[in-house]
Amino acid sequence: MSLQTPRVAALLRQYDRPGPRYTSYPTAVEFNDSFDDAAYRGRLDAAASAEDEPLSLYVHLPFCEARCSYCGCMVIITQKREVAGRYLDYLEREIAMLAGRLGDRRRLVQHHWGGGTPTYLDPDQIRRLDETVRRHFDIDPDAEKAIEIDPRVTTRDQLDLLKLLGFNRLSMGVQDFTPEVQEAISRRQTEQQTRDLFAYARDIGFDSINVDLIYGLPRQQLDSFSRTLDSVVELRPDRIAVYSYAHVPWLRPHQKAIHANELPDAELKFELFGAAIERFLGGGYVAIGMDHFALPGDELALATASRRLHRNFMGYTTRPATDMLGVGVSAIGDIRGAFAQNHKKLPAYYGAIDRGQFPIERGYLLSGDDLVRRFVITALMCNFHVDAATLQARFGIDFRRYFASELAQLTAPDGPADHGFVVVGDGGIDVTPDGRLFVRNICMAFDTYLPAHQSGRPVFSRTI
Ligand SMILES: C[S@@+](CC[C@H](N)C(=O)[O-])C[C@H]1O[C@@H](n2cnc3c(N)ncnc32)[C@H](O)[C@@H]1O
Ligand code: SF4
């Protein structure tokens, strides 16, 4: 990083504040219950008429045997294995309803099982769910078929089966190999365990493996985290995600088990991420978007080079389907200009399906202005560039005039342009290499909903 140390401390004080991660715009905080089953049916009907367009399908598998104390995902902790069978019954019914409504629109180019822990399912259950999806949808021969696997609970038999079923991308949770950190986050996972599963996955032919790390966890130190980074570079995954720890105990009360005094401060967090950038770029990886890295031949790296990177709830992708379906408890879909989220509690999810309804808890129908801003924020988060001519062609807006106050904010004295983080010109916006670290803050200038959340109860995690 080229930022100079005394300057960094002052900048961090200015930029480290609560802000969204922009996995969506508007963020999930804006979702409301006026978007219901009927509204969802309307969107699905509109989607059905775009018969030739490809789809993405996300399946949420919420179960985990034990809770990691940092976890921000929607999970259900249970050792009662029989719950998974009942859950699959309902997933099948939801998938069948969805496919029925979509008619001939069946082609999937992206299919992802996330969680929770998808490998909580035993081999028969994995097979059953896969068959259900294939019964109702056509998976493109070169579709991305991905699954999140936890190396602590995934067996070789499960990997063999996933390979047989055509899964072609694995994503492994690692977070940090340091025992003291693992102790503090209640996730014991030896490096050997990860190495063994990784080696086996490679042996049987998985040629796209991602590893997740988190910086900002309790007890993380620069030297021990650097050892984790070295080990990961040595493993040579195709992709690496290095997430900033989102500490949101008001949303995830179990995070209160994490002692605030053990969390790294903003400066150390910044150094930890700086070490990741240095190690991964030095190790031959290419930086992808805000917090990912990929080997140069990986399609994410190629898309980055040609500014074709996209992002949806499943992460960075090169296969943007026009509509994304989410099934399972708490899953979010993005269909014809609306977000739709399923019920987060099992009884409500089951109850809706029993009544013959889609299990929608809340959602959001985007306005014309939301669509423009979503485009800008996605372009910044993925490609660090907003093109004025594209905005004109796509939305018929004059970028300078439409965003006059936002651009004034970015170029104000002692603001992001002044700090060398962003360049605003007639052609659009470019985020500089130093500015990439603050891209969430830059996006926040375009978020019209943010001011309403800036006082009162905390809503978002911190940007650094
Ligand atoms: C659903 S989880 C991973 C799947 C699997 N259950 C596992 O733990 O290996 C997906 C990823 O989200 C990330 N994650 C979870 N909670 C987070 C938090 N509070 N802040 C940042 N990243 C988080 C972790 O890197 C994790 O690997
Ligand atoms: S990090 Fe993974 S294993 Fe741990 S609680 Fe969250 S989803 Fe479950």
Side-chain angles (χ1 to χ4, degrees):
M1 257 176 299
S2 61
L3 291 176
Q4 299 305 304
T5 319
R7 226 185 119 211
V8 168
L11 287 172
L12 291 181
R13 272 193 299 279
Q14 183 173 340
Y15 284 88
D16 182 25
R17 56 200 188 97
R21 290 147 69 102
Y22 293 116
T23 41
S24 72
Y25 180 83
T27 65
V29 175
E30 309 308 328
F31 295 3
N32 57 71
D33 58 14
S34 65
F35 189 94
D36 55 8
D37 169 66
Y40 188 52
R41 284 174 195 266
R43 295 294 91 200
L44 289 175
D45 293 346
S49 61
E51 223 173 85
D52 299 328
E53 293 179 25
L55 290 164
S56 288
L57 175 64
Y58 173 79
V59 183
H60 192 68
L61 297 155
F63 306 110
C64 296
E65 277 176 20
R67 194 187 305 275
C68 312
S69 53
Y70 63 89
C71 184
C73 308
M74 293 299 302
V75 305
I76 296 172
I77 306 298
T78 176
Q79 288 81 37
K80 293 188 204 132
R81 296 256 146 203
E82 60 278 11
V83 294
R86 178 154 190 239
Y87 185 71
L88 289 186
D89 295 341
Y90 281 88
L91 261 185
E92 271 186 21
R93 289 164 67 184
E94 188 190 2
I95 292 170
M97 274 167 74
L98 202 53
R101 199 85 192 180
L102 285 168
D104 290 333
R105 181 135 183 233
R106 303 167 50 102
R107 187 162 70 91
L108 298 186
V109 288
Q110 194 188 21
H111 178 37
H112 189 136
W113 293 12
T117 304
T119 50
Y120 190 92
L121 301 184
D122 66 31
D124 286 342
Q125 292 169 330
I126 291 177
R127 206 184 282 278
R128 176 180 164 199
L129 176 56
D130 186 70
E131 274 169 15
T132 303
V133 172
R134 282 187 292 109
R135 195 176 326 127
H136 294 288
F137 292 97
D138 300 326
I139 303 183
D140 228 41
D142 53 18
E144 181 179 297
K145 198 167 169 186
I147 181 166
E148 291 170 9
I149 57 163
D150 178 343
R152 298 170 304 162
V153 301
T154 306
T155 64
R156 292 179 171 208
D157 285 349
Q158 284 173 315
L159 283 191
D160 287 337
L161 176 60
L162 292 169
K163 181 79 186 132
L164 188 78
L165 298 178
F167 281 84
N168 49 26
R169 291 184 194 280
L170 300 180
S171 182
M172 289 187 185
V174 168
Q175 330 311 348
D176 189 319
F177 283 132
T178 313
E180 293 75 28
V181 175
Q182 294 190 355
E183 192 65 37
I185 58 173
S186 310
R187 183 183 174 108
R188 284 159 207 90
Q189 173 178 349
T190 66
E191 187 169 338
Q192 200 53 48
Q193 219 169 8
T194 306
R195 286 190 172 280
D196 288 347
L197 198 74
F198 192 98
Y200 187 72
R202 283 289 195 226
D203 278 351
I204 62 171
F206 279 102
D207 54 12
S208 179
I209 308 182
N210 170 83
V211 162
D212 287 339
L213 301 176
I214 303 183
Y215 69 97
L217 291 173
R219 301 187 197 164
Q220 269 179 336
Q221 300 289 341
L222 197 53
D223 54 350
S224 58
F225 189 58
S226 299
R227 280 196 292 279
T228 292
L229 298 172
D230 288 339
S231 298
V232 170
V233 170
E234 206 185 300
L235 266 183
R236 218 83 199 134
D238 306 273
R239 298 177 181 180
I240 308 164
V242 191
Y243 297 116
S244 165
Y245 170 49
H247 190 57
V248 286
W250 57 90
L251 291 178
R252 300 280 181 267
H254 60 265
Q255 288 185 346
K256 289 183 188 144
I258 286 183
H259 303 297
N261 61 353
E262 293 190 333
L263 289 172
D265 61 14
E267 260 176 83
L268 179 53
K269 251 188 122 172
F270 192 73
E271 284 179 46
L272 294 167
F273 189 51
I277 295 175
E278 221 171 275
R279 287 292 197 291
F280 296 143
L281 298 190
Y285 285 84
V286 175
I288 308 293
M290 182 176 64
D291 46 18
H292 282 58
F293 298 85
L295 288 174
D298 188 280
E299 62 184 53
L300 288 185
L302 303 175
T304 292
S306 53
R307 289 182 170 162
R308 284 182 297 106
L309 196 63
H310 287 265
R311 181 174 152 97
N312 59 25
F313 285 106
M314 297 181 246
Y316 286 107
T317 178
T318 59
R319 323 268 173 105
T322 44
D323 294 295
M324 189 193 129
L325 310 166
V327 295
V329 68
S330 80
I332 301 178
D334 175 359
I335 297 138
R336 296 285 116 171
F339 295 120
Q341 181 166 31
N342 280 353
H343 284 289
K344 297 190 207 82
K345 299 254 191 269
L346 280 184
Y349 172 75
Y350 292 162
I353 294 174
D354 281 336
R355 290 192 300 278
Q357 292 177 339
F358 283 103
I360 299 296
E361 178 172 294
R362 56 181 194 152
Y364 191 90
L365 188 60
L366 279 81
S367 67
D369 178 63
D370 291 330
L371 292 169
V372 177
R373 289 172 192 275
R374 162 156 101 164
F375 183 87
V376 169
I377 287 174
T378 307
L380 288 169
M381 297 291 283
C382 292
N383 300 308
F384 301 109
H385 171 75
V386 179
D387 187 48
T390 308
L391 281 175
Q392 175 78 56
R394 194 180 274 235
F395 300 104
I397 60 162
D398 179 300
F399 152 81
R400 281 265 190 198
R401 211 171 303 147
Y402 196 89
F403 289 118
S405 73
E406 291 80 355
L407 299 180
Q409 202 180 319
L410 291 180
T411 52
D414 203 26
D418 231 14
H419 297 140
F421 294 160
V422 71
V423 177
V424 177
D426 284 339
I429 307 174
D430 280 290
V431 180
T432 65
D434 280 347
R436 291 175 177 213
L437 301 164
F438 303 99
V439 68
R440 282 167 73 178
N441 300 78
I442 294 167
C443 290
M444 283 157 69
F446 295 91
D447 183 341
T448 47
Y449 300 95
L450 207 53
H453 303 298
Q454 275 170 339
S455 56
R457 288 191 311 120
V459 176
F460 301 110
S461 61
R462 302 193 75 84
T463 51
I464 305 296

